[in-house]
Amino acid sequence: MPNTIHIKAFGMVAEKIGTTELVMDHYQDSEALLDALLVKFPALKTIKFSLAINKKLISNKQEIPENAEIALLPPFSGG
Amino acid sequence: MPKSLYYHPFPEDKMNRYERQIILPGFGIEGQVKLRNSSVLVIGAGGLGCPILLYLAAAGVGKIGVVDGDKVALSNLNRQVLFGEKELGKNKAETAARYFQEKYSDIKWEVYPEFITTENAQEMISGYDLIIDGTDNFPTRYLINDACVLLGKPLVFGAIYQHEGQVSVFNLGENVCNYRDLYPKMPSASEIPNCAETGVIGVLPGIIGNLMALEAIKVLSGFGKPLKNKVLFFNSLFSQTYEVEISPNPEAQEAMPASLASFEIMDYELACEGIKQLTWSEAMKKMNHDVAFVDVREPGEMPPLECTGLIKIPFSSLSEQFERLEDSYEVLFFCQSGIRSQNAARQLQEAFPDKKVYSIRGGINALKTN
């Protein structure tokens, strides 16, 4: 199995990247992945979102395990 | 618990109205008594607030407070199921409480027909065991979160965007998380639109509101396991859920007001939007000064506003006409509802960081109703 990252996008993030699921090459840590995402999808620069690695929210730079699932989680305001 | 409660918990009824909850294994009379002795404040009686109120009242929460300064509009009726055509123009909190007072005689209601602010939040929140946030904008969500943290109140949180929703329980027990752990950076309204701008099928807030009501019942009765330090995402298009664990983030908490005194003077709209918002009466006081007063509505939006010195620059051509505002140190924008004017203000502020730029809250719509 090749070493990849499985991206799950929610809300406005899914809208900006045009899909809810995406497979990408592996990146060493969360910062490198974010940089790559912003290059690939410049529209992401205009919104804030949180990031979870294997269903755990991260608050700082973190290593990405092999074949991790990464969730891109924007805030919702509606009610 | 006193033993007598087991025998005559709700003596006014022969066949108890809560029978089906009381016979439920694990909930029982203990759970029901806890609900009855509980108080809940529901902030926002809109798409989320309506189902929350319906099910908390039906379940028998002893005291329910409802906060909403908004009036029922026709476009609300696809999801705000407590209201009908006869209630158009009426205050939502008052209308909701009246609906339940006719249905159930055993629940105490407190009605706050106003929006929550840093000035009234403490008084509203401190009298309740649990707070539920069913509001519709980021500044209010951070405001409620911070007030609950400072006052030590558990908070059931829920929000929606188009086909998706998120639910969590903040500030419950020890080693707890709150909204700032999940979203440390305050977003602006222009990043993430709300229902008024992007639309919603009424069932989605119905589902998310019901999940919130369920979390509230779990917290109050001790039944089941609340979504503490977890966020549940729900996607209505694919009927999928996704659960994420959250943990306390000390860095994010540094942005929290340190005390109730600093909470009271915090401007949450300014913190989210980066733009100071003014009411019409605050704006009028500025009119005597040398301030550019700019209508960014497109030609033809009603009602037109005419006054001396008024500058009209439609939002669609704003950036090409910045030079008309070059000489004004203070600039005050308004539009129909207050959203485009915030955008306009932000754009001008970015181009001219030294200017004092404002947006009028609620736009022309707020002028009509005041």
Side-chain angles (χ1 to χ4, degrees):
Chain A
M1 194 170 165
N3 189 7
T4 51
I5 296 176
H6 303 261
I7 307 273
K8 277 177 145 339
F10 292 76
M12 196 67 157
V13 174
E15 229 166 88
K16 298 271 185 201
I17 71 177
T19 180
T20 55
E21 303 211 15
L22 180 74
V23 177
M24 282 176 72
D25 290 338
H26 183 261
Y27 288 86
Q28 196 61 37
D29 59 54
S30 51
E31 269 178 25
L33 172 66
L34 270 178
D35 289 346
L37 280 168
L38 293 180
V39 170
K40 200 168 161 133
F41 307 105
L44 285 181
K45 284 179 195 156
T46 59
I47 55 169
K48 296 182 187 80
F49 56 91
S50 292
L51 201 140
I53 301 178
N54 291 333
K55 300 196 172 181
K56 282 188 179 162
L57 200 86
I58 61 161
S59 47
N60 290 307
K61 177 173 161 177
Q62 243 174 59
E63 296 241 326
I64 299 179
E66 285 187 13
N67 301 308
E69 181 175 271
I70 309 283
L72 310 177
L73 308 161
F76 304 159
S77 68
Chain B
M1 180 179 309
K3 207 174 178 197
S4 63
L5 280 176
Y6 286 90
Y7 299 106
H8 301 290
F10 301 96
E12 70 272 26
D13 304 314
K14 263 192 190 154
M15 178 64 101
N16 196 303
R17 109 162 161 91
Y18 307 111
E19 189 207 52
R20 298 300 159 88
Q21 285 167 198
I22 290 171
I23 62 170
L24 190 64
F27 193 81
I29 191 72
E30 294 93 337
Q32 196 62 50
V33 169
K34 281 181 187 160
L35 281 192
R36 169 173 235 175
N37 292 333
S38 299
S39 56
V40 173
L41 184 68
V42 180
I43 309 175
L48 294 172
C50 286
I52 293 167
L53 290 165
L54 276 164
Y55 279 92
L56 291 186
V61 170
K63 179 179 143 188
I64 302 177
V66 49
V67 185
D68 205 320
D70 198 14
K71 294 176 180 133
V72 179
L74 194 57
S75 63
N76 298 152
L77 301 190
N78 82 317
R79 62 197 185 283
Q80 301 183 17
V81 293
L82 285 172
F83 314 126
E85 289 163 9
K86 284 184 186 152
E87 279 97 27
L88 296 181
K90 292 184 180 160
N91 175 271
K92 291 181 184 177
E94 286 168 351
T95 309
R98 203 171 307 121
Y99 172 90
F100 289 111
Q101 279 155 352
E102 283 173 20
K103 272 173 109 78
Y104 310 120
S105 57
D106 56 354
I107 293 170
K108 189 170 184 290
W109 288 90
E110 301 275 351
V111 182
Y112 307 88
E114 57 200 300
F115 293 109
I116 190 165
T117 65
T118 51
E119 284 119 53
N120 64 22
Q122 203 179 327
E123 202 189 323
M124 281 181 189
I125 286 175
S126 51
Y128 293 86
D129 300 321
L130 173 73
I131 313 304
I132 305 186
D133 176 4
T135 61
D136 65 356
N137 63 83
F138 289 121
T140 308
R141 290 184 177 284
Y142 281 90
L143 185 160
I144 293 170
N145 177 75
D146 293 357
C148 287
V149 172
L150 290 165
L151 294 166
K153 300 288 180 185
L155 169 65
V156 174
F157 166 87
I160 55 171
Y161 173 74
Q162 274 194 349
H163 306 295
E164 294 170 64
Q166 50 188 207
V167 183
S168 187
V169 177
F170 297 135
N171 215 32
L172 177 70
E174 283 165 24
N175 192 30
V176 288
C177 290
N178 64 63
Y179 194 47
R180 287 184 183 272
D181 297 307
L182 180 58
Y183 293 115
K185 289 184 193 137
M186 296 169 92
S188 81
S190 64
E191 290 176 48
I192 316 274
N194 63 20
C195 306
E197 297 155 78
T198 70
V200 66
I201 304 274
V203 184
L204 176 70
I207 291 168
I208 300 301
N210 271 294
L211 286 172
M212 294 166 76
L214 186 61
E215 290 307 307
I217 288 172
K218 291 194 306 197
V219 170
L220 296 173
S221 67
F223 183 62
K225 221 176 155 192
L227 281 166
K228 176 190 159 179
N229 292 6
K230 284 176 190 161
V231 198
L232 179 74
F233 285 79
F234 173 75
N235 184 317
S236 63
L237 278 189
F238 305 111
S239 302
Q240 280 175 343
T241 57
Y242 195 80
E243 210 177 279
V244 173
E245 254 180 66
I246 46 178
S247 44
N249 174 358
E251 221 171 286
Q253 298 308 316
E254 281 168 21
M256 266 265 310
S259 66
L260 283 165
S262 47
F263 166 77
E264 267 176 46
I265 53 165
M266 171 114 176
D267 185 336
Y268 281 86
E269 281 168 342
L270 180 65
C272 277
E273 305 300 336
I275 292 297
K276 174 87 180 156
Q277 304 216 45
L278 301 179
T279 62
W280 278 100
S281 61
E282 286 164 341
M284 293 306 175
K285 284 179 202 146
K286 290 209 166 282
M287 296 300 278
N288 306 328
H289 308 291
D290 184 22
V291 50
F293 192 51
V294 189
D295 184 350
V296 293
R297 294 179 300 162
E298 304 298 317
E301 286 188 67
M302 300 300 281
L305 194 70
E306 299 297 343
C307 64
T308 14
L310 178 68
I311 303 169
K312 294 189 180 188
I313 307 179
F315 184 72
S316 55
S317 65
L318 180 72
S319 50
E320 297 133 48
Q321 300 197 49
F322 272 172
E323 78 275 6
R324 289 175 66 186
L325 304 170
E326 228 163 285
D327 298 331
S328 311
Y329 169 60
E330 282 192 85
V331 182
L332 219 158
F333 288 104
F334 71 93
C335 65
Q336 198 70 23
S337 72
I339 297 195
R340 280 172 294 171
S341 58
Q342 266 181 47
N343 255 318
R346 204 174 305 111
Q347 284 181 28
L348 187 75
Q349 190 78 77
E350 275 168 26
F352 300 94
D354 295 337
K355 284 191 197 302
K356 283 183 114 169
V357 185
Y358 311 96
S359 165
I360 297 183
R361 186 182 300 125
I364 287 286
N365 294 344
L367 185 62
K368 277 191 285 185
T369 52
N370 282 351

